Amino acid sequence: MRYFVFLLMVLVSLWSAHSQAADFSFMSFRINSFGPHQYDYSFVWNPVTEEATLRVGLVVEKIDPFLQDKEISFSSARKADYVALDFPEIAEGCEAISHWQFEYQPGLPNYLMYVTLKGPACQKVAKVFDILQIRMRFIGVSLLQFEPIDVAIDISR
């Protein structure tokens, strides 16, 4: 009986995690490549404010069909966060995104994203951001003629 309860708890937790992930519309981008080992990525570290401002050039890989033909201003989101999927512990001490600017318009070949990470360990994150598998979540993104939605964006090389 104990094993049955354990199995039931595992299944419920997996179902819960899946339903939470399903609440987000999804987009996938890769960092634009200029050539071998040259990527459209840079950052500036401010040691006084402990902020890293990142500039990331992105190319579309995959977009949720619901979002494909919509213009999206991610700066309208009320909250943003991120996680490094392949190395989550690197973000300890750099959990906050204090500013973000990203606009998606259908049909454009490239996009620019500006993100400011705030925290004492953000310089370390900024140095390796372009080689990590990043998932950014934007909560409450406003769309014309729609209720605000939540959007998850995967960024990778």
Side-chain angles (χ1 to χ4, degrees):
M1 183 66 176
R2 189 174 358 163
Y3 298 110
F4 176 73
V5 171
F6 175 74
L7 180 62
L8 186 61
M9 287 175 33
V10 168
L11 289 174
V12 167
S13 66
L14 289 174
W15 173 75
S16 174
H18 179 347
S19 67
Q20 285 179 350
D23 291 343
F24 283 85
S25 295
F26 181 77
M27 302 174 95
S28 177
F29 292 88
R30 65 178 166 75
I31 297 177
N32 194 16
S33 174
F34 292 137
H37 309 292
Q38 296 178 344
Y39 294 92
D40 190 1
Y41 171 76
S42 61
F43 75 94
V44 175
W45 170 247
N46 184 337
V48 176
T49 61
E50 294 185 330
E51 290 181 328
T53 301
L54 289 63
R55 178 195 171 278
V56 187
L58 300 172
V59 177
V60 174
E61 282 199 327
K62 190 167 71 172
I63 296 182
D64 188 324
F66 172 73
L67 300 174
Q68 207 158 18
D69 61 343
K70 295 180 178 38
E71 293 185 13
I72 305 169
S73 174
F74 287 89
S75 59
S76 69
R78 64 180 155 78
K79 181 182 174 199
D81 63 12
Y82 79 100
V83 65
L85 299 175
D86 51 350
F87 193 37
E89 53 274 2
I90 196 167
E92 291 175 11
C94 183
E95 290 88 15
I97 296 179
S98 61
H99 177 76
W100 58 91
Q101 180 64 39
F102 180 51
E103 310 290 325
Y104 170 77
Q105 293 182 352
L108 295 179
N110 301 335
Y111 299 91
L112 280 177
M113 175 186 282
Y114 294 92
V115 177
T116 302
L117 305 175
K118 185 163 182 64
C122 290
Q123 182 180 19
K124 178 177 61 173
V125 172
K127 286 181 179 177
V128 296
F129 187 89
D130 62 325
I131 61 172
L132 295 173
Q133 303 287 323
I134 300 290
R135 174 163 295 152
M136 299 184 81
R137 297 180 306 182
F138 296 91
I139 312 297
V141 177
S142 297
L143 295 176
L144 291 176
Q145 301 174 349
F146 289 98
E147 291 291 319
I149 62 168
D150 301 336
V151 181
I153 295 179
D154 281 355
I155 300 172
S156 64
R157 262 194 190 179

